[in-house]
Amino acid sequence: MSIHTFLKGSEDWWRQAVVYQIYPRSFADSNSDGIGDLKGIISRVPYLKSLGIDAVWLSPFYPSALADGGYDVDDYRNVDPRIGTLKDFDKMIDALHAEGIRVFVDIVPNHSSDQHVWFQAALNAGPGSPERDRYIFRNGKGEHGAIRPSELVSHFGPTAWTRVTEPDGSLGQWYLHLFAKEQPDFNWDNPEVREDFIHTLRFWSNRGVDGFRIDVAHALVKDLSEPLFERQSYDVSVMKDDGTDKLFDRDEVHKIYRSWRKVFNEYDPPRVAVAEAWVPANRRPAYASKDGLGQAFNFDLLGTPWNAKKFRKTIDYNLVEAIKAGSSTTWVFSNHDVIRHATRFGLPAGFDWVRWYQSQGTDPKPNNILGLARAKAATMLILALPGSTYLYQGEELGLFEAPEIPSDQMQDPQWFRNPGKAGSRDGCRVPLPWAIEGKSFGFGKKGSHLPQPTWFGDLSVEAQDSNPDSTLSLYREALALRKQLQTEESLTWVDHFFNRKVVHFKRQNGWHSITNFGDMAIKLPAGDVLLSSAPVVGRWLPANATAWVQTATV
Ligand code: GLC
Ligand code: CA
């Protein structure tokens, strides 16, 4: 093992950090096998540095049969051989740390994959064994146990229970999987499960990892008493919001995170964590508390339409909630699970995502010019807010969703487990275009594991790198300015009483962000125009644009 470089500095570095999400299999392919890898990431450290981000978050790179894009983990303390080795991982951390970029990794504690040694042991050991107790096995109902234990649906398909074949060849027990059947849920009442994750957190922390993104953080503890939970939908609105829901967000889950916090605090600086917890908003502070994970994703803007009033309300609410937890909030428009925001903002509010995917992105047809204008404006808006911002690879290129992937090449279990009835998450996971031409637009020298659309080259890094008017240049300038201007975590709203389609706030140092949600140009206030997402002519900010203006502070 190499001697790791550890980044020191303030314990609070994460509070207003810009974190760039890398989906490793789709970032950069160093050996041209069509799959992105750690050496590919190392080769692009200069690019990451040029963006001006504070940290990267890597989606899972662990050994996996890829039933769910790597969120089905075979071995939590290793690297998928197709992606690299632990040695490559160490080199990658060192290369990033040398440029002052910190590293988050993804921890998937709700479920392992069905290839994990523990699940294989559970299958082989049979009912009632300690091996089965690490997962959630139940006998079926009915005379021969052929009826599943409950009518719970899974996220990706019709049922959350799958029946196993026992070692003697007979049909036997059922196991629980909230996601794909290749993702059996752990039993978090089992002390071995708890210990193993502590081991994993120390393993990566010792290798120099600075932070963790905790997958489905609200699902670990379940009430497994009879009658077993029945549920037909995972919609947050059907979840109880007082900690007593049988399936999600139970109060007991925080005991686990308190024990993790003790581990994080063994390090200098303490390791940080952010919860992916799709819970009612009033339940978020608990995950973000100082004795818990410390920060929780706020996904509210993912569903907020292009509307000034709604944006302002969402922002206000989240700033207040984060303070309650002693944390800072997170802003995010895109990630590996949702439609890219340059496309979303070009579609009518409330469009039907499933129908849109089923029509390969033609019904309705997005207005890409409008979508990109709004996406750039929205990104500048969140970059001016207090709190941390999560960017998703490719958004700095203004990439659109790529729903035209042929159905038989889709990889998302959601898509092919519900034929004709679901959307796909593959259209935002297509390998990045680095070059204008070439077999995979510079992703590698050969192909890419998901097909790239023909228009990708025009949005490539090469096409945008030295063009001052490109989306990439806008991101770089905005991130550089943000670094200089970032100040205390609060804002003051500036009301435009005669035009409610403006979101305008200022920070203590006179840094104003003004977003025009309307259809007509608006006059900017006095001060230096630092940057704008569309050209400002004679102090007029066009529709669907954001400008940053600096005024003198008194
Ligand atoms: C999270 C991940 C998603 C994955 C799921 C199951 O929501 O972001 O990609 O499918 O958890 O692990
Ligand atoms: Ca590769």
Side-chain angles (χ1 to χ4, degrees):
M1 207 193 285
S2 75
I3 299 172
H4 306 296
T5 52
F6 290 94
L7 275 186
K8 295 277 180 194
S10 147
E11 287 200 358
D12 283 342
W13 65 267
W14 54 276
R15 294 189 68 95
Q16 304 210 69
V18 176
V19 184
Y20 179 91
Q21 180 188 357
I22 292 180
Y23 194 75
R25 287 180 181 79
S26 299
F27 187 69
D29 174 16
S30 71
N31 60 349
S32 301
D33 62 355
I35 299 167
D37 43 54
L38 299 183
K39 284 195 175 128
I41 298 175
I42 296 173
S43 74
R44 297 297 180 181
V45 169
Y47 174 77
L48 294 167
K49 165 93 179 150
S50 82
L51 290 177
I53 52 172
D54 300 298
V56 291
W57 146 36
L58 268 60
S59 277
F61 48 79
Y62 315 111
S64 168
L66 301 181
D68 181 21
Y71 283 88
D72 46 322
V73 179
D74 296 355
D75 178 355
Y76 289 87
R77 298 186 284 273
N78 215 332
V79 177
D80 187 327
R82 288 166 294 188
I83 293 189
T85 61
L86 281 169
K87 233 186 181 150
D88 296 337
F89 185 86
D90 294 339
K91 283 194 190 139
M92 180 196 73
I93 290 236
D94 286 351
L96 287 163
H97 280 178
E99 297 297 353
I101 300 171
R102 303 185 193 253
V103 180
F104 282 72
V105 299
D106 217 311
I107 297 291
V108 189
N110 180 64
H111 43 263
S112 70
S113 84
D114 60 350
Q115 306 300 310
H116 191 285
V117 283
W118 276 4
F119 192 71
Q120 289 300 316
L123 291 180
N124 291 332
S129 59
E131 287 84 351
R132 280 213 178 167
D133 188 58
R134 295 177 186 134
Y135 293 90
I136 303 171
F137 280 86
R138 288 291 180 274
N139 293 329
K141 295 195 280 200
E143 208 185 328
H144 304 289
I147 304 169
R148 49 180 171 263
S150 80
E151 289 309 311
L152 182 69
V153 295
S154 111
H155 263 286
F156 296 148
T159 171
W161 294 99
T162 290
R163 197 170 191 190
V164 304
T165 304
E166 298 299 354
D168 67 4
S170 64
L171 273 176
Q173 287 194 299
W174 299 72
Y175 66 90
L176 179 76
H177 51 91
L178 296 188
F179 293 87
K181 67 178 184 342
E182 294 86 350
Q183 292 168 296
D185 281 43
F186 279 119
N187 169 18
W188 273 86
D189 287 337
N190 183 303
E192 280 184 282
V193 171
R194 292 181 185 238
E195 278 158 28
D196 198 62
F197 274 90
I198 298 275
H199 184 176
T200 296
L201 295 174
R202 286 214 176 91
F203 178 88
W204 294 110
S205 297
N206 291 341
R207 294 196 108 86
V209 162
D210 305 276
F212 299 94
R213 178 258 189 195
I214 312 302
D215 190 68
V216 218
H218 58 309
L220 277 46
V221 180
K222 298 157 184 100
D223 176 353
L224 297 166
S225 62
E226 297 285 344
L228 278 172
F229 26 67
E230 313 275 339
R231 184 166 290 173
Q232 299 306 314
S233 153
Y234 286 173
D235 192 331
V236 174
S237 63
V238 303
M239 198 183 287
K240 284 199 188 152
D241 66 356
D242 60 0
T244 65
D245 193 276
K246 282 192 132 192
L247 205 49
F248 292 114
D249 186 37
R250 294 184 63 77
D251 285 337
E252 299 92 309
V253 80
H254 298 296
K255 200 170 160 211
I256 299 173
Y257 299 135
R258 282 194 288 274
S259 73
W260 289 16
R261 173 49 55 195
K262 289 196 184 115
V263 176
F264 299 148
N265 288 350
E266 288 165 9
Y267 294 87
D268 175 24
R271 298 319 188 222
V272 305
V274 56
E276 187 220 21
W278 294 87
V279 295
N282 65 314
R283 302 281 303 167
R284 245 182 254 142
Y287 295 85
S289 71
K290 283 201 148 91
D291 64 350
L293 294 174
Q295 204 178 33
F297 271 119
N298 140 34
F299 290 129
D300 294 353
L301 286 178
L302 294 181
T304 306
W306 186 252
N307 174 299
K309 200 170 151 200
K310 292 192 170 140
F311 261 69
R312 182 162 159 175
K313 198 170 152 206
T314 302
I315 293 165
D316 250 341
Y317 180 85
N318 281 289
L319 290 177
V320 172
E321 285 304 294
I323 290 169
K324 278 189 200 158
S327 183
S328 65
T329 193
T330 66
W331 305 110
V332 35
F333 282 122
S334 280
N335 64 35
H336 66 296
D337 288 332
V338 298
I339 182 169
R340 285 190 177 274
H341 66 292
T343 298
R344 174 166 73 89
F345 285 131
L347 284 162
F351 75 98
D352 179 343
W353 179 68
V354 171
R355 194 180 74 193
W356 186 74
Y357 246 99
Q358 290 293 337
S359 72
Q360 294 207 303
T362 58
D363 181 20
K365 201 171 165 356
N367 177 341
N368 282 346
I369 293 174
L370 181 67
L372 183 57
R374 289 179 172 173
K376 291 196 286 192
T379 300
M380 273 188 68
L381 187 165
I382 58 169
L383 284 173
L385 287 170
S388 61
T389 300
Y390 279 74
L391 304 175
Y392 177 53
Q393 68 176 41
E395 68 165 88
E396 75 278 19
L397 305 174
L399 283 193
F400 300 103
E401 186 80 2
E404 56 268 70
I405 302 170
S407 189
D408 60 353
Q409 291 181 51
M410 292 277 194
Q411 297 173 9
D412 186 358
Q414 196 166 272
W415 174 265
F416 56 82
R417 301 257 154 103
N418 302 284
K421 289 203 210 98
S424 170
R425 297 171 298 172
D426 289 326
C428 64
R429 299 176 178 180
V430 176
L432 287 192
W434 294 92
I436 296 170
E437 283 172 2
K439 203 125 201 250
S440 56
F441 299 111
F443 166 66
K445 289 205 181 61
K446 290 193 189 139
S448 72
H449 69 100
L450 274 171
Q452 297 159 304
T454 47
W455 45 266
F456 250 35
D458 295 341
L459 295 177
S460 63
V461 174
E462 186 189 2
Q464 300 195 35
D465 207 22
S466 51
N467 173 359
D469 298 326
S470 66
T471 307
L472 178 57
S473 297
L474 179 73
Y475 268 72
R476 284 178 176 147
E477 281 178 71
L479 289 166
L481 273 170
R482 173 191 160 101
K483 201 158 263 171
Q484 280 170 31
L485 293 167
Q486 198 50 273
T487 174
E488 285 161 58
E489 290 174 43
S490 66
L491 59 72
T492 309
W493 292 108
V494 181
D495 286 310
H496 289 226
F497 292 109
F498 298 107
N499 183 353
R500 307 269 174 194
K501 293 185 173 167
V502 178
V503 170
H504 181 173
F505 55 87
K506 69 169 184 214
R507 307 285 296 274
Q508 290 89 335
N509 51 1
W511 172 21
H512 291 243
S513 173
I514 302 123
T515 304
N516 183 358
F517 284 80
D519 301 324
M520 314 241 282
I522 56 166
K523 187 101 190 259
L524 288 173
D528 293 338
V529 178
L530 302 173
L531 186 68
S532 61
S533 65
V536 168
V537 182
R539 298 209 76 78
W540 289 92
L541 178 68
N544 303 303
T546 294
W548 289 352
V549 173
Q550 176 77 55
T551 57
T553 43
V554 223

